[in-house]
Amino acid sequence: MSRTALVTGATSGFGLEIARRLVAAGHRVIAAGRRTDRLEALRDELGAEAICPLTLDVTDAGAVAGLPGALAEGWREVDILVNNAGLALGTTAAQDSDLAQWEQMVATNVLGLMRLTHAILPGMVARGRGDIVNLGSVAANYPYPGGNVYGATKAFVQQFTLGLKTDLAGTGVRVSDVQPGLVGGTEFSHVRFGGDDAKAGAPYADTTPMTAADVAEAVLWIIGLPAHVNVNRIELMPVVQGAGPFVVKRGG
């Protein structure tokens, strides 16, 4: 059965691939993001009946709050919300970090996800059905040097998802947290390192990381399960990756 999905961060990476996979599976997608030209290109690629471009910055509280009434006619009943928009900035130790970067990660990864959910969830509950898929990270569970606030924002995603699951029991609305590990071929690392290609490529050197298509496949699997099954959390890593060892500083 065709459903209507709202995917944030749909201009690149996970969001773009998830939008494509949803359409390939027969669904319609409200593709949300800040870069209008890319959204329009996606509509041209997949067709106006399948893609409804929505220029949206998830950190704009007013725009998000008014979203249900601002959606195009015929696209207002959102069956699937994919909270994908998010970012990491820097890998600096906490004591040397840029506070503005911390605040930007919280504004996007925490407040943006929270506000989108608040705007869309009541309609799902009223209709007695729906799926919310939050894009988290293995960083929620495995801290690493320099991942301080980024990991904390993804820990919020995990706990918020579990809290939603508790509140939504019996409503017919499902909620899941997808937690990828090392994924190559997206803009994630370039954003994190301010466009420095050498630094951005270093984490993936001589590895076979996952791809955005792998993450999209997990999302499609979750929403395709029978209606009585809820995936609370799914953690994905490439075979080359494992949880890091404890950090032990020698000599003092």
Side-chain angles (χ1 to χ4, degrees), residues 92 94 97 101-106 109-110 146-155 192:
T92 308
S97 291
Q101 290 188 336
W102 282 8
E103 292 176 342
Q104 187 175 350
M105 285 186 279
V106 170
N109 303 358
V110 175
N148 35 67
V149 168
Y150 175 71
T153 65
K154 295 305 182 179
R192 178 167 225 167

Side-chain angles (χ1 to χ4, degrees), residues 9-200:
T11 58
S12 66
F14 298 169
L16 177 59
E17 195 62 34
I18 291 166
R20 285 173 170 154
R21 287 285 288 109
L22 283 165
V23 170
H27 304 299
R28 305 190 311 159
V29 176
I30 303 164
R34 293 178 299 170
R35 291 172 285 192
T36 304
D37 57 333
R38 293 195 181 190
L39 298 174
E40 292 176 346
L42 183 62
R43 178 195 58 200
D44 294 342
E45 173 191 339
L46 299 177
E49 293 184 358
I51 294 290
C52 177
L54 175 66
T55 303
L56 178 71
D57 182 345
V58 299
T59 67
D60 184 336
V64 174
L67 191 57
L71 293 173
E73 190 69 33
W75 294 83
R76 292 179 181 170
E77 290 194 2
V78 176
D79 303 301
I80 303 162
L81 171 62
V82 181
N83 279 315
N84 166 72
L87 78 166
L89 295 172
T91 55
T92 308
Q95 61 271 27
D96 300 316
S97 291
D98 181 342
L99 179 60
Q101 290 188 336
W102 282 8
E103 292 176 342
Q104 187 175 350
M105 285 186 279
V106 170
T108 306
N109 303 358
V110 175
L111 294 177
L113 180 147
M114 184 177 68
R115 288 168 177 156
L116 255 298
T117 302
H118 189 266
I120 300 299
L121 181 58
M124 291 182 171
V125 173
R127 292 187 294 274
R129 66 182 189 276
D131 283 282
I132 297 175
V133 181
N134 296 325
L135 265 294
S137 169
V138 296
N141 300 302
Y142 309 114
Y144 56 88
N148 35 67
V149 168
Y150 175 71
T153 65
K154 295 305 182 179
F156 169 85
V157 173
Q158 176 173 281
Q159 192 62 28
F160 184 55
T161 302
L162 292 174
L164 289 172
K165 178 66 181 76
T166 302
D167 291 341
L168 293 170
T171 65
V173 179
R174 305 186 295 184
V175 58
S176 303
D177 179 15
V178 177
Q179 300 182 337
L182 189 69
V183 180
T186 74
E187 296 180 353
F188 177 85
S189 197
H190 286 272
V191 171
R192 178 167 225 167
F193 292 105
D196 186 318
D197 289 338
K199 288 183 177 179

Side-chain angles (χ1 to χ4, degrees), residues 219-232:
V219 173
L220 267 290
W221 175 72
I222 287 170
I223 66 169
L225 289 170
H228 66 280
V229 179
N230 190 99
V231 175
N232 296 341

